[in-house]
Amino acid sequence: MLVKNYINGTFVDGESSFVNINPVTGEVINRVVEADRAAVDSAVDAASKALGGPWGSMVSSKRAEYLHGIADGIEQRFDDFVDAEITDTGKPLSQARSIDIPRGVTNFRFFADLLGSVAMESYETHSRDGRHALNYAIRRPLGVVGVILPWNLPFLLMTWKLAPALAAGNTIVAKPSEETPSTAALLAEVMDQQAIPKGVVNLVNGFGQNSAGEFLAGHPDIDAITFTGESSTGAAIMKASAPSLKGLSFELGGKNSAIIFEDADFEKAVAGTAKSTFTNCGQVCLCTERVYVQRSIFDKFVSALKEKAESIKIGLPCDKSTQMGPLVSHGHRDKVLSYFDLARQEGATVVTGGKVPDFDDEKSDGAFVEPTIWIGLPETARCVKEEVFGPVCHIAPFDSEEEAVAMANNSRYGLAAAIWTENLTRAHRVAGQMEVGMAWVNTWYLRDLRTPFGGLKMSGIGREGGLHSLDFYSQPTNVCIELSA
Ligand code: NAD
């Protein structure tokens, strides 16, 4: 099958293409047309023209109907989306069915309804010179939004950005990751079937540097870029977008911590940390890679987490009982395995894992690695500092609350943290001290779409979620009407 670009309501072929590889079998899933500069230009042109058309000025309730229509269209092809997502990423069927695809549907429904329920500010003004006026703000679309996405949660993140951008009346040129183009291609089909006006959503495929990603970031007619991916890529996009002063929303990398206090519910903390470390093979930006455990329970915790890690069922994505599939690609596995080697060189004790699992069946061609736990590294080790983005954590002991907070905050990243304690005041106190965008207490990855999502430090710029998304994807214009006679 050939995945084409979707530009101005048409599926468009091109001169060059690349292959999308299945991380389990190493086989070609589909060929993907690479958008060259001319294709990106025509997508941006189509989006600019559509902005000036009925979409930007349409009443928000009408746009909401379109968004619900997209959600309906995804639900009608639910199994196709699940198949495409697990084939591209290798993630387990159970996860795609219960998280990725349903959350994509929810994103469209949630943002469809949000705009109709939020007020804008208004003030009655009495100025010093005796004039009387009414001030109120209205929301205008931001413009043409460029959307650049990673491979770890392809459909969830695509919809997380498309839905609010569309709800606010923008038009879009989106680029999925070169590793995971299939659910975006299905989404284009759904948009087409739902008769979303031509040019409102355009999808271009390609790579980053010298390809569609860079062409979008530097395009003078794109008003804003919303990007999720590595921090270093964010820096490159910021540089490329600087000449046209684009609005930027960045959701970037992390090296997230978990703090387990001796007063935690032990079983809950172990299960929660196993989940936060190994979900999606460690390839969620929110996954825990640094675990700090109070010294009195350190040994017990390490052996309990080891037991959990060793009980994870690694398997084929399509097997209903699989809990962990392969990494997204053999290339990413090489990166993760290089950290497994580096950890040994840096002096880690490998508690469990640390290598490719031994299979003597069809899984042996897949990009699998074992769930891995390290102890014994200094806090200065690269494996404690750098994001691995695989199923691995380092566990270190601490003695006091102050020390735990200082260790957790000693990172150039600041995305998420999980705190495990049954002490109510400590929970509030420590959560407030974490230098992160999201601090969970006695849970992880529990999301409410109304809440702010984003990171501090190298983990991001800006916030999305609920009103924060609307604030990024729209611009307020203040209207001032003099009322004095
Ligand atoms: P990546 O930065 O390598 O690629 C992301 C996207 O950027 C891809 O579409 C790629 O083609 C494009 N790109 C690469 N170079 C570019 C350039 N110079 N100009 C324009 N576009 C360019 O990230 P990845 O490896 O796909 O994803 C993993 C990373 O994403 C991890 O660091 C992870 O933490 C991060 N992530 C963050 C969040 C969050 O919400 N904070 C969520 C998911 C993933």
Side-chain angles (χ1 to χ4, degrees), residues 162-327:
L162 250 57
L166 288 174
N170 300 285
T171 59
I172 290 161
V173 183
K175 190 194 91 59
S177 167
E178 54 274 33
E179 308 271 6
T180 53
S182 301
T183 43
L186 284 178
L187 187 60
E189 290 178 18
V190 166
M191 303 253 182
D192 206 58
Q193 281 149 9
Q194 295 297 323
I196 303 298
K198 284 183 193 320
V200 168
V201 179
N202 304 272
L203 287 169
V204 292
N205 286 287
F207 300 84
Q209 246 184 340
N210 297 317
S211 184
E214 196 175 290
F215 304 153
L216 281 178
H219 204 291
D221 297 331
I222 287 190
D223 299 291
I225 297 276
T226 176
F227 167 71
T228 300
E230 283 193 15
S231 303
S232 57
T233 311
I237 291 174
M238 186 179 241
K239 198 170 168 192
S241 65
S244 50
L245 295 174
K246 297 186 197 326
L248 296 174
S249 173
F250 282 174
E251 295 172 348
L252 307 176
K255 187 74 182 176
N256 308 306
S257 62
I259 303 179
I260 294 75
F261 288 99
E262 61 190 3
D263 57 26
D265 177 325
F266 187 81
E267 296 306 324
K268 226 171 134 182
V270 172
T273 307
K275 193 174 166 197
S276 71
T277 302
F278 302 119
T279 292
N280 205 38
C281 211
Q283 302 166 120
V284 180
C285 53
L286 307 165
C287 274
T288 302
E289 293 196 11
R290 297 179 295 140
V291 182
Y292 298 104
V293 181
Q294 199 145 15
R295 198 176 298 276
S296 54
I297 57 166
F298 181 79
D299 291 341
K300 189 177 161 202
F301 186 89
V302 171
S303 55
L305 195 66
K306 172 180 189 285
E307 203 178 302
K308 282 267 184 235
E310 290 172 355
S311 72
I312 292 172
K313 181 160 186 278
I314 304 175
L316 295 173
C318 55
D319 181 341
K320 281 187 185 144
S321 63
T322 294
Q323 294 170 314
M324 199 170 102
L327 291 162

Side-chain angles (χ1 to χ4, degrees), residues 34-361:
E34 183 179 2
D36 56 14
R37 196 181 283 276
V40 172
D41 284 349
S42 65
V44 176
D45 186 53
S48 303
K49 290 193 172 114
L51 191 67
W55 186 257
S57 53
M58 190 181 282
V59 290
S60 60
S61 56
K62 181 71 186 155
R63 284 201 301 268
E65 281 174 26
Y66 276 109
L67 265 61
H68 279 295
I70 297 170
D72 294 342
I74 298 164
E75 280 175 335
Q76 280 153 19
R77 298 188 63 186
F78 188 85
D79 290 341
D80 294 343
F81 277 94
V82 169
D83 283 350
E85 194 78 331
I86 69 172
T87 312
D88 274 7
T89 61
K91 69 178 63 191
L93 178 78
S94 56
Q95 192 188 312
R97 288 194 76 82
S98 63
I99 300 176
D100 297 78
I101 310 306
R103 283 205 189 179
V105 172
T106 305
N107 283 336
F108 279 108
R109 298 212 187 282
F110 172 80
F111 285 108
D113 295 336
L114 184 66
L115 205 62
S117 65
V118 293
M120 290 294 280
E121 57 199 314
S122 73
Y123 305 98
E124 192 176 348
T125 308
H126 294 278
S127 65
R128 281 175 179 273
D129 60 4
R131 287 184 295 164
H132 182 198
L134 175 66
N135 276 285
Y136 63 92
I138 53 171
R139 256 182 219 283
R140 297 177 53 79
L142 185 52
V144 177
V145 177
V147 178
I148 305 178
L149 294 161
W151 44 255
N152 63 329
L153 304 169
F155 188 63
L156 195 158
L157 292 173
M158 174 69 85
T159 55
W160 164 247
K161 290 174 183 294
L162 250 57
L166 288 174
N170 300 285
T171 59
I172 290 161
V173 183
K175 190 194 91 59
S177 167
E178 54 274 33
E179 308 271 6
T180 53
S182 301
T183 43
L186 284 178
L187 187 60
E189 290 178 18
V190 166
M191 303 253 182
D192 206 58
Q193 281 149 9
Q194 295 297 323
I196 303 298
K198 284 183 193 320
V200 168
V201 179
N202 304 272
L203 287 169
V204 292
N205 286 287
F207 300 84
Q209 246 184 340
N210 297 317
S211 184
E214 196 175 290
F215 304 153
L216 281 178
H219 204 291
D221 297 331
I222 287 190
D223 299 291
I225 297 276
T226 176
F227 167 71
T228 300
E230 283 193 15
S231 303
S232 57
T233 311
I237 291 174
M238 186 179 241
K239 198 170 168 192
S241 65
S244 50
L245 295 174
K246 297 186 197 326
L248 296 174
S249 173
F250 282 174
E251 295 172 348
L252 307 176
K255 187 74 182 176
N256 308 306
S257 62
I259 303 179
I260 294 75
F261 288 99
E262 61 190 3
D263 57 26
D265 177 325
F266 187 81
E267 296 306 324
K268 226 171 134 182
V270 172
T273 307
K275 193 174 166 197
S276 71
T277 302
F278 302 119
T279 292
N280 205 38
C281 211
Q283 302 166 120
V284 180
C285 53
L286 307 165
C287 274
T288 302
E289 293 196 11
R290 297 179 295 140
V291 182
Y292 298 104
V293 181
Q294 199 145 15
R295 198 176 298 276
S296 54
I297 57 166
F298 181 79
D299 291 341
K300 189 177 161 202
F301 186 89
V302 171
S303 55
L305 195 66
K306 172 180 189 285
E307 203 178 302
K308 282 267 184 235
E310 290 172 355
S311 72
I312 292 172
K313 181 160 186 278
I314 304 175
L316 295 173
C318 55
D319 181 341
K320 281 187 185 144
S321 63
T322 294
Q323 294 170 314
M324 199 170 102
L327 291 162
V328 74
S329 65
H330 288 79
H332 186 53
R333 183 169 75 171
D334 291 345
K335 178 185 159 189
V336 172
L337 290 176
S338 76
Y339 277 101
F340 285 5
D341 289 344
L342 179 65
R344 290 190 180 89
Q345 289 160 26
E346 289 187 310
T349 299
V350 181
V351 175
T352 188
K355 59 181 179 56
V356 172
D358 300 319
F359 296 124
D360 52 6
D361 55 20

